[in-house]
Structure formats: structure tokens, C-alpha cells
Coordinates of all heavy atoms in Angstrom, one line a residue:
M38 N 0.9 -1.2 0.0 CA 0.0 0.0 0.0 C 0.9 1.2 0.0 O 1.8 1.3 0.8 CB -0.9 0.0 1.3 CG -1.8 1.1 1.3 SD -2.9 1.1 2.8 CE -3.7 -0.5 2.7
N39 N 0.6 2.2 -0.9 CA 1.5 3.4 -0.9 C 1.1 4.3 0.3 O 0.1 4.2 0.9 CB 1.3 4.1 -2.2 CG 0.0 4.8 -2.5 OD1 -0.6 5.4 -1.5 ND2 -0.5 4.7 -3.7
R40 N 2.1 5.2 0.6 CA 2.1 6.0 1.8 C 0.8 6.9 1.8 O 0.2 7.2 2.8 CB 3.3 6.8 1.9 CG 3.6 7.4 3.2 CD 3.9 6.3 4.2 NE 4.4 6.9 5.3 CZ 4.4 6.3 6.5 NH1 3.8 5.2 6.6 NH2 4.9 6.9 7.6
V41 N 0.5 7.6 0.6 CA -0.6 8.5 0.5 C -1.9 7.8 0.8 O -2.7 8.2 1.6 CB -0.7 9.1 -0.9 CG1 -1.9 10.0 -1.0 CG2 0.6 10.0 -1.1
R42 N -2.1 6.6 0.3 CA -3.3 5.9 0.5 C -3.4 5.4 1.9 O -4.5 5.5 2.5 CB -3.3 4.6 -0.5 CG -4.6 3.8 -0.4 CD -4.6 2.7 -1.4 NE -5.9 2.0 -1.3 CZ -5.9 0.7 -1.3 NH1 -4.8 0.0 -1.5 NH2 -7.0 0.0 -1.2
E43 N -2.3 5.0 2.5 CA -2.3 4.5 3.9 C -2.6 5.7 4.8 O -3.4 5.5 5.7 CB -0.9 4.0 4.3 CG -0.8 3.5 5.6 CD 0.5 2.9 5.9 OE1 0.9 1.9 5.2 OE2 1.2 3.4 6.8
T44 N -2.1 6.9 4.5 CA -2.4 8.1 5.4 C -3.9 8.4 5.3 O -4.5 8.7 6.3 CB -1.6 9.3 4.9 OG1 -0.2 8.9 5.0 CG2 -1.9 10.5 5.7
R45 N -4.5 8.4 4.1 CA -5.9 8.7 3.9 C -6.8 7.6 4.6 O -7.7 7.9 5.3 CB -6.3 8.7 2.4 CG -5.8 9.9 1.7 CD -6.3 10.1 0.3 NE -7.0 9.0 -0.3 CZ -6.6 8.3 -1.4 NH1 -5.5 8.7 -2.0 NH2 -7.3 7.3 -1.9
L46 N -6.4 6.4 4.6 CA -7.1 5.3 5.2 C -7.1 5.4 6.8 O -8.1 5.3 7.4 CB -6.6 3.9 4.8 CG -7.2 2.7 5.5 CD1 -8.7 2.6 5.2 CD2 -6.5 1.4 5.0
I47 N -5.9 5.8 7.3 CA -5.8 6.0 8.7 C -6.6 7.2 9.1 O -7.3 7.1 10.2 CB -4.3 6.2 9.1 CG1 -3.6 4.9 9.0 CG2 -4.2 6.7 10.5 CD1 -2.1 5.0 9.1
S48 N -6.7 8.2 8.3 CA -7.5 9.4 8.7 C -9.0 9.0 8.7 O -9.7 9.4 9.7 CB -7.3 10.5 7.6 OG -6.0 11.0 7.7
V49 N -9.5 8.2 7.8 CA -10.9 7.8 7.8 C -11.1 6.9 9.0 O -12.2 7.1 9.7 CB -11.2 7.0 6.5 CG1 -12.6 6.4 6.5 CG2 -11.2 8.0 5.3
L50 N -10.3 6.0 9.3 CA -10.5 5.2 10.5 C -10.5 6.0 11.8 O -11.4 5.7 12.6 CB -9.4 4.1 10.6 CG -9.4 3.0 9.5 CD1 -8.2 2.1 9.6 CD2 -10.7 2.2 9.7
L51 N -9.6 6.9 11.9 CA -9.6 7.8 13.1 C -10.9 8.6 13.2 O -11.4 8.8 14.3 CB -8.4 8.7 13.1 CG -7.1 7.9 13.4 CD1 -5.9 8.9 13.3 CD2 -7.1 7.3 14.7
D52 N -11.4 9.1 12.1 CA -12.7 9.8 12.0 C -13.8 9.0 12.5 O -14.7 9.4 13.3 CB -13.0 10.4 10.6 CG -12.1 11.5 10.2 OD1 -11.5 12.1 11.2 OD2 -12.1 11.9 9.0
E53 N -13.8 7.7 12.0 CA -14.9 6.8 12.4 C -14.8 6.4 13.9 O -15.8 6.3 14.5 CB -14.8 5.5 11.5 CG -15.3 5.8 10.1 CD -16.7 6.2 10.0 OE1 -17.6 5.6 10.6 OE2 -16.9 7.2 9.2
L54 N -13.6 6.3 14.4 CA -13.5 5.9 15.8 C -13.8 7.1 16.7 O -14.3 6.8 17.8 CB -12.0 5.5 16.1 CG -11.6 4.2 15.5 CD1 -10.1 4.0 15.7 CD2 -12.4 3.0 16.1
A55 N -13.7 8.3 16.2 CA -14.0 9.5 17.0 C -15.6 9.6 17.2 O -16.0 10.2 18.1 CB -13.5 10.7 16.4
V56 N -16.3 9.0 16.3 CA -17.8 9.1 16.3 C -18.4 8.3 17.6 O -19.2 8.8 18.3 CB -18.4 8.6 15.1 CG1 -19.9 8.5 15.1 CG2 -18.0 9.4 13.9
E57 N -17.9 7.1 17.8 CA -18.4 6.3 18.9 C -17.2 6.0 19.8 O -16.2 5.4 19.3 CB -18.9 5.0 18.3 CG -20.3 5.1 17.6 CD -21.4 5.5 18.6 OE1 -21.4 5.0 19.7 OE2 -22.3 6.2 18.2
P58 N -17.4 6.2 21.1 CA -16.3 5.9 22.0 C -16.1 4.3 22.1 O -17.1 3.6 22.0 CB -16.7 6.4 23.3 CG -18.1 6.8 23.2 CD -18.5 6.9 21.7
I59 N -14.9 3.9 22.2 CA -14.7 2.5 22.3 C -14.5 2.1 23.8 O -13.6 2.8 24.4 CB -13.4 2.1 21.5 CG1 -13.7 2.3 20.0 CG2 -13.1 0.6 21.7 CD1 -12.5 2.2 19.2
D60 N -15.2 1.2 24.2 CA -15.1 0.8 25.7 C -14.3 -0.6 25.7 O -15.0 -1.6 25.6 CB -16.5 0.6 26.2 CG -16.4 0.4 27.8 OD1 -15.4 0.7 28.4 OD2 -17.4 -0.2 28.3
L61 N -13.1 -0.5 25.8 CA -12.2 -1.7 25.9 C -11.9 -2.0 27.4 O -11.7 -1.1 28.2 CB -10.9 -1.5 25.2 CG -11.1 -1.3 23.7 CD1 -9.7 -1.0 23.0 CD2 -11.6 -2.5 23.0
P62 N -11.8 -3.3 27.7 CA -11.4 -3.6 29.1 C -10.0 -3.2 29.4 O -9.1 -3.3 28.5 CB -11.6 -5.2 29.1 CG -11.5 -5.6 27.7 CD -12.0 -4.5 26.9
M63 N -9.8 -2.8 30.6 CA -8.5 -2.4 31.1 C -8.0 -3.4 32.0 O -8.7 -4.0 32.8 CB -8.5 -1.0 31.8 CG -8.8 0.1 30.8 SD -7.5 0.5 29.7 CE -6.4 1.3 30.8
P64 N -6.7 -3.7 32.0 CA -6.1 -4.6 32.9 C -6.0 -4.0 34.4 O -6.0 -2.8 34.5 CB -4.7 -4.9 32.4 CG -4.4 -3.7 31.6 CD -5.7 -3.2 31.1
N65 N -6.1 -4.9 35.3 CA -6.0 -4.5 36.7 C -4.6 -4.4 37.2 O -4.3 -3.7 38.2 CB -6.9 -5.4 37.7 CG -8.3 -5.3 37.4 OD1 -8.9 -4.2 37.3 ND2 -9.0 -6.4 37.2
V66 N -3.7 -5.1 36.6 CA -2.3 -5.2 37.0 C -1.7 -3.8 36.6 O -1.8 -3.4 35.5 CB -1.5 -6.3 36.3 CG1 -0.1 -6.2 36.6 CG2 -2.1 -7.6 36.8
R67 N -1.1 -3.1 37.7 CA -0.7 -1.7 37.4 C 0.3 -1.5 36.3 O 0.1 -0.6 35.5 CB 0.0 -1.2 38.7 CG 0.4 0.2 38.7 CD 1.0 0.7 39.9 NE 1.6 2.0 39.8 CZ 1.2 3.0 40.4 NH1 0.2 3.0 41.3 NH2 1.7 4.2 40.2
R68 N 1.3 -2.4 36.1 CA 2.2 -2.2 35.1 C 1.6 -2.4 33.7 O 1.9 -1.7 32.8 CB 3.4 -3.2 35.2 CG 3.0 -4.6 35.1 CD 4.2 -5.5 35.4 NE 3.8 -6.9 35.4 CZ 3.9 -7.7 36.4 NH1 4.3 -7.3 37.6 NH2 3.5 -8.9 36.3
L69 N 0.6 -3.3 33.6 CA -0.1 -3.4 32.3 C -1.1 -2.3 32.1 O -1.3 -1.8 30.9 CB -0.9 -4.7 32.2 CG 0.0 -6.0 32.2 CD1 -0.9 -7.2 32.2 CD2 0.9 -6.0 31.0
W70 N -1.7 -1.8 33.1 CA -2.5 -0.6 33.0 C -1.8 0.6 32.5 O -2.2 1.3 31.6 CB -3.2 -0.3 34.4 CG -4.3 0.7 34.3 CD1 -5.6 0.6 34.0 CD2 -4.1 2.2 34.5 NE1 -6.2 1.7 33.9 CE2 -5.4 2.8 34.3 CE3 -3.0 3.0 34.8 CZ2 -5.6 4.1 34.4 CZ3 -3.2 4.3 34.9 CH2 -4.5 4.9 34.7
R71 N -0.6 0.8 33.0 CA 0.3 1.9 32.6 C 0.7 1.8 31.1 O 0.7 2.7 30.3 CB 1.5 2.1 33.4 CG 1.2 2.6 34.8 CD 2.5 3.1 35.5 NE 3.6 2.1 35.4 CZ 4.0 1.4 36.4 NH1 3.4 1.4 37.5 NH2 5.0 0.5 36.2
L72 N 1.0 0.5 30.7 CA 1.3 0.2 29.3 C 0.1 0.5 28.4 O 0.3 1.2 27.4 CB 1.7 -1.2 29.2 CG 1.8 -1.8 27.8 CD1 3.1 -1.2 27.2 CD2 1.9 -3.3 27.8
T73 N -1.1 0.1 28.8 CA -2.3 0.4 28.0 C -2.5 1.9 27.9 O -2.9 2.4 26.8 CB -3.5 -0.4 28.7 OG1 -3.2 -1.8 28.8 CG2 -4.7 -0.2 27.8
E74 N -2.4 2.6 29.0 CA -2.6 4.0 28.9 C -1.6 4.7 28.0 O -2.0 5.6 27.2 CB -2.3 4.6 30.4 CG -3.5 4.4 31.3 CD -4.7 5.3 30.9 OE1 -4.5 6.5 30.8 OE2 -5.8 4.7 30.8
A75 N -0.3 4.2 28.0 CA 0.7 4.8 27.0 C 0.3 4.5 25.6 O 0.4 5.4 24.7 CB 2.0 4.2 27.4
M76 N -0.2 3.3 25.3 CA -0.6 3.0 24.0 C -1.8 3.8 23.5 O -2.0 4.2 22.4 CB -1.0 1.5 23.9 CG 0.3 0.7 24.0 SD 0.1 -1.1 23.8 CE -1.6 -1.5 24.2
M77 N -2.7 4.1 24.4 CA -3.9 4.9 24.1 C -3.5 6.4 23.8 O -4.1 7.1 23.0 CB -5.0 4.8 25.1 CG -5.6 3.4 25.2 SD -7.0 3.1 26.3 CE -7.0 4.3 27.5
E78 N -2.5 6.9 24.6 CA -2.1 8.3 24.4 C -1.4 8.5 23.1 O -1.5 9.5 22.5 CB -1.2 8.7 25.6 CG -2.0 8.9 26.9 CD -1.0 9.3 28.0 OE1 0.0 9.8 27.8 OE2 -1.5 9.1 29.2
I79 N -0.5 7.5 22.8 CA 0.3 7.6 21.6 C 0.1 6.3 20.8 O 1.0 5.4 20.9 CB 1.8 7.8 21.9 CG1 1.9 9.0 22.9 CG2 2.6 8.1 20.6 CD1 3.3 9.1 23.4
P80 N -0.9 6.2 20.0 CA -1.2 4.9 19.3 C -0.1 4.5 18.4 O 0.0 3.2 18.1 CB -2.5 5.2 18.5 CG -3.1 6.4 19.2 CD -2.0 7.2 19.8
G81 N 0.7 5.3 17.8 CA 1.8 5.0 16.9 C 3.0 4.5 17.6 O 4.0 4.1 17.0
L82 N 3.1 4.5 18.9 CA 4.2 4.2 19.7 C 4.5 2.7 19.5 O 3.6 1.8 19.5 CB 3.9 4.4 21.2 CG 5.0 4.3 22.2 CD1 6.1 5.3 21.9 CD2 4.6 4.5 23.6
R83 N 5.8 2.4 19.1 CA 6.2 1.0 18.9 C 7.2 0.5 19.9 O 8.2 1.2 20.2 CB 6.8 0.8 17.5 CG 5.8 1.2 16.4 CD 4.8 0.1 16.2 NE 3.9 0.4 15.2 CZ 2.6 0.6 15.4 NH1 2.0 0.5 16.5 NH2 1.8 0.9 14.3
F84 N 6.9 -0.6 20.6 CA 7.8 -1.2 21.6 C 7.3 -2.6 21.8 O 6.3 -3.0 21.4 CB 7.8 -0.4 22.8 CG 6.4 -0.2 23.4 CD1 5.7 -1.2 24.1 CD2 5.7 0.9 23.2 CE1 4.5 -1.0 24.6 CE2 4.4 1.1 23.6 CZ 3.8 0.2 24.3
T85 N 8.2 -3.4 22.5 CA 7.8 -4.7 22.9 C 7.2 -4.6 24.3 O 7.7 -3.7 25.1 CB 8.9 -5.7 22.9 OG1 9.9 -5.3 23.8 CG2 9.5 -5.8 21.5
I86 N 6.3 -5.4 24.6 CA 5.7 -5.3 26.0 C 6.7 -5.6 27.0 O 6.7 -4.9 28.1 CB 4.4 -6.3 26.1 CG1 3.7 -6.0 27.4 CG2 4.9 -7.7 26.0 CD1 2.4 -6.8 27.4
G87 N 7.6 -6.5 26.8 CA 8.7 -6.9 27.7 C 9.6 -5.7 28.0 O 10.0 -5.4 29.1
A88 N 10.0 -5.0 26.9 CA 10.9 -3.8 27.1 C 10.2 -2.7 27.8 O 10.8 -2.0 28.6 CB 11.3 -3.3 25.7
R89 N 8.9 -2.6 27.7 CA 8.2 -1.4 28.3 C 7.9 -1.7 29.8 O 8.0 -0.8 30.6 CB 6.9 -1.3 27.5 CG 6.0 -0.2 28.0 CD 6.6 1.2 27.7 NE 5.8 2.2 28.2 CZ 5.8 3.5 27.7 NH1 6.6 3.8 26.7 NH2 5.1 4.3 28.3
V90 N 7.7 -3.0 30.2 CA 7.4 -3.3 31.6 C 8.5 -4.1 32.3 O 8.3 -4.3 33.4 CB 6.0 -4.0 31.7 CG1 4.8 -3.1 31.2 CG2 6.0 -5.3 31.0
G91 N 9.5 -4.4 31.5 CA 10.7 -5.0 32.2 C 10.6 -6.5 32.5 O 11.1 -7.0 33.4
A92 N 9.9 -7.2 31.7 CA 9.8 -8.7 31.8 C 9.6 -9.3 30.5 O 9.5 -8.6 29.5 CB 8.7 -9.0 32.8
S93 N 9.4 -10.6 30.4 CA 9.3 -11.3 29.1 C 8.0 -11.0 28.4 O 7.0 -10.7 29.0 CB 9.4 -12.8 29.3 OG 8.2 -13.3 29.8
N94 N 8.1 -10.9 27.1 CA 6.9 -10.6 26.3 C 5.9 -11.7 26.5 O 4.7 -11.4 26.6 CB 7.3 -10.6 24.8 CG 8.0 -9.4 24.4 OD1 7.9 -8.3 25.1 ND2 8.8 -9.4 23.3
R95 N 6.3 -12.9 26.5 CA 5.3 -14.1 26.7 C 4.5 -14.0 28.0 O 3.3 -14.1 28.0 CB 6.1 -15.4 26.6 CG 5.1 -16.5 26.6 CD 5.9 -17.8 26.4 NE 5.0 -18.9 26.4 CZ 5.4 -20.2 26.6 NH1 6.6 -20.4 26.8 NH2 4.5 -21.2 26.6
T96 N 5.3 -13.8 29.1 CA 4.6 -13.7 30.4 C 3.6 -12.5 30.4 O 2.4 -12.7 30.8 CB 5.6 -13.5 31.5 OG1 6.5 -14.6 31.5 CG2 5.0 -13.3 32.8
H97 N 4.0 -11.4 30.0 CA 3.1 -10.2 30.0 C 2.0 -10.3 29.0 O 0.8 -9.8 29.2 CB 3.9 -8.9 29.9 CG 4.5 -8.6 31.2 ND1 5.7 -9.0 31.6 CD2 4.0 -7.9 32.3 CE1 6.0 -8.5 32.8 NE2 5.0 -7.9 33.3
S98 N 2.2 -10.9 27.8 CA 1.2 -11.1 26.9 C 0.1 -12.0 27.4 O -1.1 -11.7 27.2 CB 1.7 -11.6 25.6 OG 2.6 -10.7 24.9
Q99 N 0.5 -13.1 28.1 CA -0.4 -14.0 28.7 C -1.2 -13.3 29.8 O -2.5 -13.5 29.9 CB 0.2 -15.3 29.2 CG 0.8 -16.1 28.1 CD 1.7 -17.3 28.7 OE1 2.1 -17.2 29.8 NE2 1.9 -18.3 27.8
L100 N -0.5 -12.5 30.6 CA -1.2 -11.8 31.7 C -2.2 -10.8 31.1 O -3.3 -10.6 31.6 CB -0.2 -11.1 32.6 CG -0.7 -10.4 33.8 CD1 -1.5 -11.3 34.7 CD2 0.5 -9.7 34.6
F101 N -1.8 -10.1 30.1 CA -2.7 -9.1 29.5 C -4.0 -9.7 29.0 O -5.1 -9.3 29.2 CB -2.0 -8.4 28.3 CG -2.7 -7.3 27.7 CD1 -2.6 -6.0 28.2 CD2 -3.6 -7.5 26.6 CE1 -3.3 -4.9 27.7 CE2 -4.3 -6.4 26.1 CZ -4.2 -5.2 26.6
Q102 N -3.8 -10.9 28.3 CA -4.9 -11.6 27.8 C -5.9 -12.1 28.9 O -7.1 -12.0 28.9 CB -4.6 -12.8 26.9 CG -5.8 -13.4 26.3 CD -5.5 -14.2 25.0 OE1 -4.3 -14.4 24.7 NE2 -6.4 -14.6 24.3
R103 N -5.3 -12.6 30.0 CA -6.0 -13.1 31.2 C -6.8 -11.9 31.8 O -7.9 -12.1 32.2 CB -5.1 -13.7 32.2 CG -5.8 -14.5 33.2 CD -4.9 -15.3 34.2 NE -3.7 -15.8 33.5 CZ -2.5 -15.6 34.0 NH1 -2.2 -14.9 35.1 NH2 -1.3 -16.0 33.3
E104 N -6.2 -10.8 31.9 CA -6.8 -9.6 32.5 C -7.9 -9.0 31.7 O -8.8 -8.5 32.2 CB -5.7 -8.5 32.8 CG -4.7 -8.8 33.9 CD -5.3 -8.6 35.3 OE1 -5.9 -7.5 35.4 OE2 -5.3 -9.5 36.1
T105 N -7.7 -8.9 30.4 CA -8.6 -8.2 29.5 C -9.5 -9.0 28.6 O -10.5 -8.6 28.1 CB -7.9 -7.2 28.6 OG1 -7.0 -8.0 27.7 CG2 -7.0 -6.2 29.4
G106 N -9.0 -10.3 28.4 CA -9.7 -11.2 27.5 C -9.3 -10.9 26.0 O -9.9 -11.4 25.1
L107 N -8.4 -10.0 25.9 CA -7.9 -9.6 24.5 C -6.5 -10.0 24.3 O -5.7 -9.9 25.3 CB -8.1 -8.1 24.3 CG -9.5 -7.5 24.5 CD1 -9.4 -6.0 24.5 CD2 -10.3 -8.0 23.4
P108 N -6.1 -10.4 23.1 CA -4.7 -10.7 22.9 C -3.9 -9.4 22.8 O -4.4 -8.3 22.4 CB -4.7 -11.4 21.6 CG -5.9 -11.0 20.9 CD -6.9 -10.7 22.0
F109 N -2.6 -9.4 23.0 CA -1.7 -8.3 22.9 C -0.9 -8.5 21.7 O -0.1 -9.5 21.6 CB -0.8 -8.2 24.2 CG 0.0 -6.9 24.1 CD1 -0.5 -5.7 24.6 CD2 1.3 -6.9 23.5 CE1 0.3 -4.5 24.6 CE2 2.0 -5.7 23.5 CZ 1.5 -4.6 24.0
F110 N -1.0 -7.7 20.7 CA -0.3 -7.7 19.4 C 0.6 -6.5 19.3 O 0.2 -5.4 19.6 CB -1.2 -7.8 18.2 CG -2.0 -9.0 18.1 CD1 -3.4 -9.0 18.4 CD2 -1.4 -10.2 17.8 CE1 -4.1 -10.2 18.3 CE2 -2.2 -11.4 17.7 CZ -3.6 -11.4 17.9
V111 N 1.9 -6.8 19.0 CA 2.8 -5.7 18.6 C 3.2 -5.9 17.2 O 3.6 -6.9 16.8 CB 4.0 -5.8 19.5 CG1 5.0 -4.7 19.1 CG2 3.7 -5.7 21.0
R112 N 3.0 -4.8 16.5 CA 3.3 -4.8 15.1 C 4.7 -4.4 14.8 O 5.3 -3.6 15.4 CB 2.4 -3.8 14.3 CG 2.5 -3.9 12.8 CD 1.6 -3.0 12.2 NE 2.4 -1.9 11.6 CZ 1.9 -1.0 10.8 NH1 0.7 -0.9 10.6 NH2 2.7 -0.1 10.3

């Protein structure tokens, strides 16, 4: 996908998301809650969950899924 098209698509998606608030479950574990907050504040932020919270990606990904019922994907 070319950059111009991708930028337009992202703009449309953001416009659509702004219409209806999204109610996603938040984790109760403090370190995961802080991670989730950072991702919501800066959606384009790229990092591994382990680097951000100081432990293995696998452990925290499993904990995130247990806490929220949602998988944790890093692109």
C-alpha cells in the first residue's frame, strides 16, 4: 500500500473511531494498566511489551490476555 493511500485510510479510520467511543477492558495489574494508557495516548508508539514493563513478552502477553480477554499484538 502506498504512503498516501495509507495516510488517507488511517484518517478515515480515526474519524470513524471518534464518532463512537470504544469501551475496551483495562487490565487491573498496574504495570499493564500503565502500558495500556501509554498506547492509548500515543497509538503509533512501537515497543515490545517486555521492554516497556521490564519482563518477558510471553509472560506479560499472557497476563494481558487473562486480565482483559484480549490478545496483545505488537506490530
Side-chain angles (χ1 to χ4, degrees):
M38 182 179 306
N39 69 41
R40 194 72 166 156
V41 173
R42 184 172 179 226
E43 184 177 298
T44 301
R45 288 190 347 242
L46 180 58
I47 290 170
S48 294
V49 170
L50 289 172
L51 291 174
D52 287 346
E53 289 298 314
L54 290 174
V56 173
E57 288 290 327
I59 298 174
D60 187 25
L61 295 174
M63 292 290 284
N65 292 314
V66 174
R67 184 181 171 114
R68 63 184 178 245
L69 293 178
W70 188 86
R71 287 194 316 254
L72 171 72
T73 306
E74 284 288 308
M76 291 183 332
M77 290 183 345
E78 286 178 22
I79 308 171
L82 190 61
R83 297 288 180 242
F84 52 82
T85 64
I86 190 171
R89 184 70 182 203
V90 296
S93 77
N94 285 339
R95 183 176 181 199
T96 298
H97 280 91
S98 293
Q99 290 171 344
L100 181 57
F101 187 88
Q102 185 157 10
R103 195 173 325 129
E104 287 281 312
T105 65
L107 301 169
F109 185 89
F110 292 108
V111 177
R112 189 177 109 173

